[in-house]
């Protein structure tokens, strides 16, 4: 029975891949809006069929039939053409069947770099962020989540992604950045999602404390600048009173009174009379 189900899976996926492969042909040969809509509908159905097939393979892996599940995934990938959107989507399905986190990370990274327009490119970013976080690499995880938010402005996952990013920033002690991200995430969240709202509310106190600390730091910085300015002004006043231009001002020698009542000013000094006469 299991082998029959696997055979049916291959059949469904083969049909889906054929539809995906025909997408460009439809786009070139059809000139009417009706035919274009029909082509798009076919492609959507094909993608859904592929996702369903990979989900079945994933269930096989989770139930302990790892080898069989991987065989299904490998067969789907082999049936696609490298360089096409279908290949990028199949690569995502295969990554979810990977035996290790490192293997999965390689596939997710390949999707992000080689297939950025794949329907699962955003999902690959999120999956990779989770893997990096589990490894303890917060910096890499933050970069992936920031890219997801930047490249997916209308995604329904923005609220959850924003919460994940804020949590990582809090862990990095970047509270103000985290609170700014959390504010945007809250605006994108569904008010009916009580659990998500509660998770965001958990950080309300921390954000309030961060705002107070930021205000205090700003005031202290301003006071420091004022104190420094006052000190500089006082120093200039003292120099003006003493007639000095600064700590390095040169002292001019006072004129010397001679024995006959005249003032003598030395214009130069020479070792020999000949040198003096030349000058």
């Amino acid at each position: 029975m299991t082998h029959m189900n696997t055979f049916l899976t291959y059949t469904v996926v083969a049909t889906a891949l054929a539809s995906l492969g025909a997408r460009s042909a439809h786009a070139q040969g059809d000139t009417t809006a009706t035919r274009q809509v029909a082509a798009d509908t076919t492609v959507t159905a094909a993608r859904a069929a592929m996702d369903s097939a990979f989900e079945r393979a994933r269930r096989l892996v989770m139930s302990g039939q790892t080898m069989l599940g991987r065989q299904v995934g490998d067969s789907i990938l082999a049936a696609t053409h490298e360089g096409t959107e279908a290949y990028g989507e199949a690569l995502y399905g295969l990554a979810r069947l990977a035996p290790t986190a490192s293997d999965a990370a390689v596939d997710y990274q390949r999707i992000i770099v080689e297939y950025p327009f794949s329907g699962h490119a955003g999902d690959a970013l999120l999956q990779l962020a989770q893997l990096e976080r589990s490894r303890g690499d917060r910096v890499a995880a933050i970069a992936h989540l920031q890219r997801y938010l930047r490249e997916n402005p209308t995604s329904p996952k923005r609220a959850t992604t924003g919460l994940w990013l804020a949590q990582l920033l809090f862990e990095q002690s970047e509270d103000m950045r985290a609170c700014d991200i959390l504010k945007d995430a809250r605006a994108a969240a569904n008010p009916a999602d009580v659990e998500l709202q509660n998770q965001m509310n958990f950080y309300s106190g921390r954000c309030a404390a961060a705002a107070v600390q930021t205000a205090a730091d700003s005031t202290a910085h301003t006071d420091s600048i004022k104190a420094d300015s006052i000190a500089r002004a006082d120093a200039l006043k003292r120099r003006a009173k003493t007639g000095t231009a600064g700590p390095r001002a040169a002292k001019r020698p006072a004129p010397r009174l001679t024995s006959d009542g005249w003032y003598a000013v030395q214009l130069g000094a020479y070792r020999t009379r000949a040198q003096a006469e030349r000058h």
Side-chain angles (χ1 to χ4, degrees):
M1 185 65 177
T2 300
H3 293 292
M4 179 59 71
N5 288 337
T6 304
F7 175 76
L8 291 175
T9 298
Y10 292 159
T11 302
V12 170
V13 172
T15 302
L17 294 175
S19 299
L20 283 173
R23 181 180 185 184
S24 59
H26 276 295
Q28 293 174 3
D30 293 344
T31 57
T32 65
T34 301
R35 288 179 180 176
Q36 185 60 52
V37 170
D40 291 342
T41 302
T42 301
V43 170
T44 300
R47 285 176 173 166
M50 178 185 285
D51 289 343
S52 177
F54 268 116
E55 187 58 35
R56 179 176 295 185
R58 191 162 181 266
R59 286 198 297 269
L60 288 172
V61 171
M62 294 178 66
S63 67
Q65 303 181 68
T66 305
M67 185 175 295
L68 184 57
R70 287 287 299 180
Q71 287 177 349
V72 172
D74 290 338
S75 298
I76 297 172
L77 187 67
T80 61
H81 297 289
E82 190 169 354
T84 63
E85 287 186 33
Y87 193 88
E89 294 176 14
L91 197 61
Y92 175 77
L94 193 65
R96 299 189 70 200
L97 303 175
T100 67
S102 296
D103 291 334
V106 171
D107 287 338
Y108 290 137
Q109 190 66 48
R110 187 179 176 190
I111 295 168
I112 294 168
V113 174
E114 298 180 24
Y115 302 93
F117 300 109
S118 165
H120 287 301
D123 295 325
L125 275 171
L126 295 181
Q127 293 287 350
L128 192 56
Q130 293 299 319
L131 286 176
E132 298 293 6
R133 183 176 185 177
S134 67
R135 292 172 174 175
D137 191 345
R138 295 192 187 98
V139 174
I142 287 172
H144 294 316
L145 294 176
Q146 287 177 325
R147 178 176 172 180
Y148 180 89
L149 292 175
R150 184 172 61 251
E151 296 180 356
N152 299 273
T154 60
S155 170
K157 298 179 182 178
R158 285 186 64 82
T160 301
T161 302
L163 175 61
W164 293 346
L165 177 55
Q167 290 172 334
L168 286 170
L169 291 172
F170 277 126
E171 291 173 9
Q172 294 287 87
S173 298
E174 297 185 48
D175 287 16
M176 285 309 300
R177 283 186 63 197
C179 293
D180 288 340
I181 294 294
L182 200 60
K183 181 179 179 181
D184 293 337
R186 190 185 295 278
N190 183 353
D193 192 339
V194 178
E195 182 177 353
L196 183 61
Q197 293 288 345
N198 287 339
Q199 291 182 57
M200 292 180 176
N201 290 336
F202 174 78
Y203 295 101
S204 297
R206 188 162 179 174
C207 286
V212 171
Q213 184 61 49
T214 300
D217 291 343
S218 178
T219 300
H221 181 66
T222 301
D223 291 344
S224 175
I225 293 176
K226 289 181 179 179
D228 185 62
S229 298
I230 293 172
R232 288 175 181 273
D234 290 342
L236 289 174
K237 289 178 181 178
R238 287 195 298 272
R239 290 171 188 172
K241 289 180 179 179
T242 58
T244 60
R248 296 183 180 179
K251 294 183 178 180
R252 296 181 179 180
R256 182 168 55 86
L257 184 64
T258 63
S259 59
D260 55 1
W262 292 88
Y263 282 97
V265 179
Q266 181 175 339
L267 299 179
Y270 305 94
R271 295 192 177 192
T272 65
R273 181 183 183 87
Q275 289 178 340
E277 290 177 347
R278 282 199 302 270
H279 292 83

